[in-house]
């Protein structure tokens, strides 16, 4: 059956993820149906969902307003980039008071850890899928992988910039950079899950 993958479409890099998913699906010859998720009913029968980058404080407020926290939390496979990785992490440094998270993944993450918008940069990364260029936009840092189920997928110098957690039927993938802008490798990996 054709896989159905959602992209949380409240704010941030939605279009880029949709395109990356479609390109990845073509490359690996595995058809996917992509669904833009704005309402709880959009999450029905999703095999996975992507939480794009953007501004995690805004995305979390909008998710709360749309009552999306519980329905999204139930989706078994979740990929989060940048702000999306922040939403996935169990421990967040630099959260604003009252900010809500999905708190599903056994990682600690620190918001805006490279500085402000002007400190955004692009760099060559060593990844499980070979060399990839990574774009970091007011990116967070993964400061800890906690537990036996989570492992690194990509490095910038010594720092872990992507992590993957697999535990039973649940799979989480977090990147602090924006793979959707430069590569389809991470989307291919996610589709194959
Ligand atoms: N700095 C943003 C935040 O804390 C994340 C930036 C991004 O997603 N590109 O939500």
């Amino acid at each position: 059956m054709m896989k159905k993958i959602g992209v949380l479409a409240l704010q941030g890099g939605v279009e880029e993820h949709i395109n990356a998913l479609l390109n990845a699906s073509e490359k690996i010859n595995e058809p996917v149906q992509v669904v833009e998720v704005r309402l709880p009913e959009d999450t029905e029968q999703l095999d996975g969902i992507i939480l794009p980058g953007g501004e995690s404080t805004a995305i979390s407020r909008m998710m709360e307003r749309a009552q999306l926290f519980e329905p999204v939390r139930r989706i078994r496979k979740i990929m989060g980039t940048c702000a999306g990785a922040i939403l996935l992490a169990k421990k967040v440094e630099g959260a604003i008071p009252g900010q809500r998270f999905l708190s599903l993944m056994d990682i600690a993450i620190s918001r805006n850890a490279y500085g402000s918008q002007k400190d955004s940069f692009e760099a060559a990364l060593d990844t499980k899928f070979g060399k990839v260029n990574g774009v970091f936009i007011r990116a967070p840092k993964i400061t800890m992988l906690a537990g036996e189920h989570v492992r690194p997928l990509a490095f910038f110098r010594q720092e872990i910039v992507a992590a993957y957690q697999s535990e039973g039927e649940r799979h989480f993938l977090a990147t602090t950079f924006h793979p959707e802008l430069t590569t389809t490798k991470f989307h291919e990996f996610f589709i194959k899950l």
Side-chain angles (χ1 to χ4, degrees), residues 24-123:
S25 125
E26 210 174 287
K27 278 195 184 152
I28 58 173
N29 200 13
E30 192 164 329
V32 295
Q33 182 189 347
V34 180
V35 180
E36 295 187 22
V37 174
R38 294 190 184 83
L39 301 167
E41 48 265 41
D42 299 330
T43 64
E44 277 163 28
Q45 272 153 25
L46 288 184
D47 295 299
I49 188 167
I50 295 182
L51 315 174
E55 176 52 52
S56 65
T57 52
I59 295 175
S60 120
R61 217 175 313 117
M62 292 168 90
M63 280 180 75
E64 195 152 15
R65 212 173 296 146
Q67 298 191 303
L68 272 168
F69 269 96
E70 283 321 307
V72 169
R73 199 175 269 134
R74 279 196 291 270
I75 300 169
R76 292 204 305 243
K77 293 160 193 173
I78 307 180
M79 167 172 168
T81 61
C82 206
I86 295 170
L87 285 164
L88 272 178
K90 279 195 183 160
K91 188 159 184 267
V92 180
E93 290 157 45
I96 63 163
Q99 188 175 0
R100 260 185 91 184
F101 305 97
L102 292 163
S103 310
L104 287 167
M105 196 170 170
D106 295 330
I107 59 172
I109 204 162
S110 177
R111 289 186 62 220
N112 304 327
Y114 296 94
S116 65
Q117 193 75 28
K118 68 173 177 14
D119 301 309
S120 298
F121 62 100
E122 183 165 348

